[in-house]
Amino acid sequence: MPPGWDRFAVLGEEDETGQPVVLSSGRAEATEREIAPEEVGTWIFTQAETFLDAHADVPLFLMVAPLAPHTAGTPAEQDADLYTDAIYTSESQNEADRSDKASWIQDEALTDDEQTTVDWIYQAQLRNLVGLDRETAALYAHVQELPGTTLFIYASDNGYLYGEHELWGKALPYEESVHVPLYVAGPGVEAGSDERLVAANLDLPATITAWFGAEPVGEGLSTLPAFTDATAPLREEVFLEDVSLQPWAGLVTERWKYIEWATGERELYDLDADPLEMESQIAAPPEEVDLYAWGDQIASQQALTHVTPFILPSVAPDESVVLRLRTVGGTEPVRFSATELPDGLTLTEDGTLSGAVGEEGVFGIDVVATDSSASARDGAPQTNTREFILSVRAEGAISQPFVRVERLDAGRARFTVDAQGPVRVEACRDPSFEAPCRAAEGPGPLLLLGLDDGAWTYRVSVDGHWVARRSEEHTSELQSQFRISYAVFCLKK
């Protein structure tokens, strides 16, 4: 039992039949039982209603975070045959001219197989949403029967791209990915909608705290005034950021969105005139836009992130290496350290990797960057850890490709390799690659399927030479309990 809990019930590891196992306990010893995938949604909402009934006479806060509409979720049996022919369409799909966007996006193009996958994801999400709507309505009706005053909030952490700008997935700066609705119902909340820049998810804790009459703590702003007054002042801008393999940060106002990529590339969109973000104005920004001020705002809020490609230039044995590692965000100065280095290499605190390795091989180097900030919560600095790969080959250095790995839903990973010559990607449970592997080869983005939960090691070859290697834990969305795509909050007092 985790410390501080009197009851704990979660979805655990899948067993050999693929059914999630529920661990539940009211005591020190947990019990286990199986639940069919199509019943997971109902089980989660049943747990919520049980909690509400057990605490009907006291103030409470309840957050319900179902698995749906993640694509790995299994719909309820009565919804399994719905939306089999649904196709998502948008004017920004098949965008012919993407020269105004980051260079890696200019090179993207959905293959037929990827478009088929996108269609499947869209249909699966629609099916999952039917049951989710049903369960949410039942929960809302249940809340209305409770004594006291209740505020009901319906939110999400991200949207999804289904081919807009030749992209698919989430964690990208475009509206389909970052702009999500926020629904609120409760006493004093006026019916209607507010199309202004209402809030960021950062503001939900402040709003919840204020609802209970306490002073909000942290950077969030309470949106309670806007629930009863459509003219109440709201945020003037929202900071956006993602620190994955293509780090970016941005600022969005009522009218404008400004994006900075870690590569130094920038984009600027007038959301009033160009809501689909088809034509960046960064080449000729209007006078009313102060990009210097916005850049300073972004820099002051940006998280510490490694931006050096994780594949380092390949070298021959005993060939000298001198490379300065780079980060963005955080507070200067930034100090670098490594848990273990190949014999012959050193890493200074300022991020200079130098030396020579005498033996052949592919070496993983875990580098920790630590900035000089102090968290308001515990006084600790920001840290960011990244594994870098160094390939030492007797044939000497080759043109080093850029490799981008995207872990997708439903046990899939997509590899984009910018290189001349035949490309092959392998993924194996066995780091020695002696066991059977998942593999794909050919030009363009390569898609590996069947990457179920657990540890996998990837490796990439160009023209018959292994140039990249990486190990990581692959976790499906079905098991990612704290990666919320949808949440219902019930606040009763």
Side-chain angles (χ1 to χ4, degrees), residues 140 144 148-152 185-190 211 227-228 491 493:
Y140 182 75
Q144 306 314 305
T149 302
T150 304
L151 184 68
F152 201 85
V189 179
E190 297 183 356
W211 166 259
F227 296 166
T228 56
L491 292 67
K493 62 181 180 182

Side-chain angles (χ1 to χ4, degrees), residues 405-449:
V405 185
E406 299 168 275
R407 285 179 296 166
L408 308 173
D409 301 333
R412 297 169 300 119
R414 179 170 57 181
F415 293 75
T416 302
V417 183
D418 181 15
Q420 299 295 322
V423 175
R424 179 178 175 85
V425 176
E426 293 183 359
C428 194
R429 290 286 199 187
D430 179 6
S432 69
F433 285 86
E434 295 180 357
C437 302
R438 310 290 188 192
E441 56 185 60
L446 301 177
L447 196 65
L448 288 185
L449 306 177

Side-chain angles (χ1 to χ4, degrees), residues 316-328:
D318 296 318
E319 181 180 348
S320 178
V321 174
V322 179
L323 181 69
R324 179 68 180 269
L325 304 182
R326 293 180 54 242
T327 60
V328 296

Side-chain angles (χ1 to χ4, degrees), residues 337-343 345 347 353 363-367 388:
S337 62
T339 55
E340 186 175 351
L341 288 169
D343 291 341
L345 287 186
L347 176 66
L353 183 69
F363 302 92
I365 306 171
D366 290 325
V367 175
F388 293 93

Side-chain angles (χ1 to χ4, degrees), residues 252-309:
V252 59
T253 71
E254 284 287 340
R255 178 177 177 183
W256 296 96
K257 180 186 289 182
Y258 174 57
I259 304 164
E260 292 185 351
W261 294 89
T263 58
E265 296 166 292
R266 302 181 299 165
E267 299 173 37
L268 175 69
Y269 297 99
D270 182 344
L271 297 178
D272 285 347
D274 181 22
L276 296 178
E277 300 163 299
M278 300 281 279
E279 186 174 349
S280 172
Q281 298 191 29
I282 196 65
E287 292 184 2
E288 66 188 88
V289 174
D290 188 345
L291 295 184
Y292 292 105
W294 284 357
D296 288 343
Q297 283 183 260
I298 289 174
S300 68
Q301 300 180 71
Q302 198 166 4
L304 178 66
T305 310
H306 278 288
V307 293
T308 305

Side-chain angles (χ1 to χ4, degrees), residues 143-485:
V143 167
Q144 306 314 305
E145 299 173 357
L146 299 176
T149 302
T150 304
L151 184 68
F152 201 85
I153 302 175
Y154 175 110
S156 177
D157 73 331
N158 64 266
Y160 206 87
L161 289 151
Y162 298 97
E164 293 90 343
H165 319 298
E166 293 291 316
L167 301 169
W168 60 302
K170 56 187 179 182
L172 291 164
Y174 305 108
E175 287 294 275
E176 296 84 1
S177 173
V178 299
H179 192 169
V180 295
L182 174 68
Y183 292 94
V184 179
V189 179
E190 297 183 356
S193 63
D194 192 334
E195 300 298 328
R196 295 179 296 166
L197 190 70
V198 177
N201 278 357
L202 177 69
D203 299 327
L204 289 179
T207 302
I208 292 168
T209 303
W211 166 259
F212 285 108
E215 188 68 25
V217 177
E219 299 177 20
L221 302 175
S222 171
T223 59
L224 281 183
F227 296 166
T228 56
D229 180 3
T231 64
L234 299 170
R235 281 186 175 272
E236 294 183 358
E237 70 266 332
V238 170
F239 172 72
L240 305 171
E241 181 178 34
D242 183 71
V243 295
S244 59
L245 292 171
Q246 293 288 349
W248 59 269
L251 206 66
V252 59
T253 71
E254 284 287 340
R255 178 177 177 183
W256 296 96
K257 180 186 289 182
Y258 174 57
I259 304 164
E260 292 185 351
W261 294 89
T263 58
E265 296 166 292
R266 302 181 299 165
E267 299 173 37
L268 175 69
Y269 297 99
D270 182 344
L271 297 178
D272 285 347
D274 181 22
L276 296 178
E277 300 163 299
M278 300 281 279
E279 186 174 349
S280 172
Q281 298 191 29
I282 196 65
E287 292 184 2
E288 66 188 88
V289 174
D290 188 345
L291 295 184
Y292 292 105
W294 284 357
D296 288 343
Q297 283 183 260
I298 289 174
S300 68
Q301 300 180 71
Q302 198 166 4
L304 178 66
T305 310
H306 278 288
V307 293
T308 305
F310 74 88
I311 305 298
L312 302 179
S314 60
V315 295
D318 296 318
E319 181 180 348
S320 178
V321 174
V322 179
L323 181 69
R324 179 68 180 269
L325 304 182
R326 293 180 54 242
T327 60
V328 296
T331 302
E332 295 288 348
V334 175
R335 294 177 291 107
F336 293 83
S337 62
T339 55
E340 186 175 351
L341 288 169
D343 291 341
L345 287 186
T346 61
L347 176 66
T348 62
E349 281 198 351
D350 70 356
T352 301
L353 183 69
S354 61
V357 180
E359 60 178 317
E360 290 189 73
V362 178
F363 302 92
I365 306 171
D366 290 325
V367 175
V368 179
T370 304
D371 79 346
S372 301
S373 65
S375 167
R377 180 173 60 87
D378 58 10
Q382 291 190 68
T383 63
N384 187 283
T385 302
R386 186 167 193 175
E387 181 188 30
F388 293 93
I389 304 299
L390 177 67
S391 178
V392 181
R393 310 170 52 251
E395 294 88 345
I398 63 172
S399 177
Q400 190 63 35
F402 170 74
V403 180
R404 180 161 60 93
V405 185
E406 299 168 275
R407 285 179 296 166
L408 308 173
D409 301 333
R412 297 169 300 119
R414 179 170 57 181
F415 293 75
T416 302
V417 183
D418 181 15
Q420 299 295 322
V423 175
R424 179 178 175 85
V425 176
E426 293 183 359
C428 194
R429 290 286 199 187
D430 179 6
S432 69
F433 285 86
E434 295 180 357
C437 302
R438 310 290 188 192
E441 56 185 60
L446 301 177
L447 196 65
L448 288 185
L449 306 177
L451 302 180
D452 50 353
D453 292 352
W456 289 87
T457 298
Y458 308 134
R459 64 179 181 178
V460 178
S461 74
V462 176
D463 203 17
H465 300 292
W466 295 108
V467 297
R469 180 185 175 97
R470 182 176 186 174
S471 298
E472 62 181 45
E473 191 81 11
H474 189 97
T475 306
S476 72
E477 293 287 332
L478 186 61
Q479 302 299 323
S480 301
Q481 291 296 289
F482 297 102
R483 295 181 62 185
I484 307 159
S485 73

